[in-house]
Amino acid sequence: MTTLYIRDVSDEVAAILKERAAAEGKSLSAYVPAELARIAARPTNDQIIARLKARDRSSGPTSDEIVAAVRAGRR
């Protein structure tokens, strides 16, 4: 397992993280790695865009159908 040292964390941010850790009944040392894992598990915007571009859209609605549906919803 890797050890990370994080510098230049403001006192305000550190206090907020300590409060959140305490609210979950965790130490700061347990809370921060869990939050980093949660962040790392989320796809990046570029990954999301690549997934969307790779989707097969041949069976979806046409642009005209979408525009018509939006207009109908505005009435």
Side-chain angles (χ1 to χ4, degrees):
M1 199 171 292
T2 301
T3 300
L4 296 178
Y5 297 97
I6 303 172
R7 295 185 172 105
D8 301 323
V9 176
S10 71
D11 292 339
E12 180 183 353
V13 170
I16 290 168
L17 292 173
K18 286 178 186 178
E19 287 174 16
R20 290 181 182 178
E24 291 189 20
K26 296 180 180 178
S27 68
L28 185 60
S29 296
Y31 179 78
V32 171
E35 286 299 297
L36 290 174
R38 188 180 62 78
I39 292 167
R42 291 189 335 216
T44 65
N45 287 343
D46 289 339
Q47 290 170 329
I48 292 170
I49 290 168
R51 288 180 195 169
L52 291 172
K53 286 182 178 179
R55 283 187 175 180
D56 178 15
R57 294 187 175 91
S58 61
S59 62
T62 65
S63 296
D64 291 337
E65 291 170 330
I66 293 170
V67 170
V70 168
R71 288 182 178 155
R74 290 181 180 167
R75 294 181 190 165

